[in-house]
Amino acid sequence: MGFISLAEENLNQGIAQAKKDQLHFKGLNDEEISKKLKQKISQRQHIQQQIADLEKQRNSYIKQAKNNNTNKTDDLGNAIILTIQDQAKTKGFSFQ
């Protein structure tokens, strides 16, 4: 259904493309196709807005989670560093 994005840019081109789509618009006249395309465009814009809102929420959550975990030493990177330092200390190396 790429004609919805096409119709978003130019309704007449979207109608022309939709006429070729016999599955979803079979037997509909230009007015009915236009009405249906406008409805689909509205739904698409609503969904895109929801996606943008959820992306903002996700980024906010990730940022907050990173801030909460900066003081903890139980992540993989710190575990590897501590293990290497412990092994190096047993071999006589020292760290500042």
Side-chain angles (χ1 to χ4, degrees):
M1 283 211 195
F3 51 83
I4 294 174
S5 59
L6 178 63
E8 206 168 8
E9 296 173 15
N10 185 329
L11 189 59
N12 290 331
Q13 288 180 351
I15 291 171
Q17 187 67 29
K19 285 181 180 179
K20 294 177 185 177
D21 182 5
Q22 295 297 313
L23 180 63
H24 295 95
F25 296 96
K26 186 175 184 178
L28 298 179
N29 62 30
D30 286 357
E31 186 178 315
E32 293 169 326
I33 292 173
S34 176
K35 184 179 177 182
K36 198 168 186 178
L37 283 176
K38 287 178 183 177
Q39 180 185 19
K40 293 292 184 184
I41 290 169
S42 175
Q43 287 176 345
R44 178 187 175 118
Q45 290 171 342
H46 178 71
I47 290 170
Q48 286 175 336
Q49 184 61 45
Q50 285 180 323
I51 290 170
D53 292 342
L54 289 171
E55 181 181 13
K56 287 178 187 175
Q57 290 176 7
R58 177 184 175 271
N59 290 338
S60 175
Y61 174 80
I62 290 172
K63 185 176 182 179
Q64 183 180 9
K66 282 184 179 180
N67 288 340
N68 290 342
N69 288 333
T70 55
N71 296 333
K72 296 182 181 178
T73 59
D74 61 347
D75 66 353
L76 180 61
N78 286 333
I80 291 172
I81 290 170
L82 292 174
T83 303
I84 291 172
Q85 287 178 347
D86 287 342
Q87 290 176 357
K89 284 179 185 177
T90 60
K91 303 236 186 225
F93 292 95
S94 64
F95 297 94
Q96 296 178 355

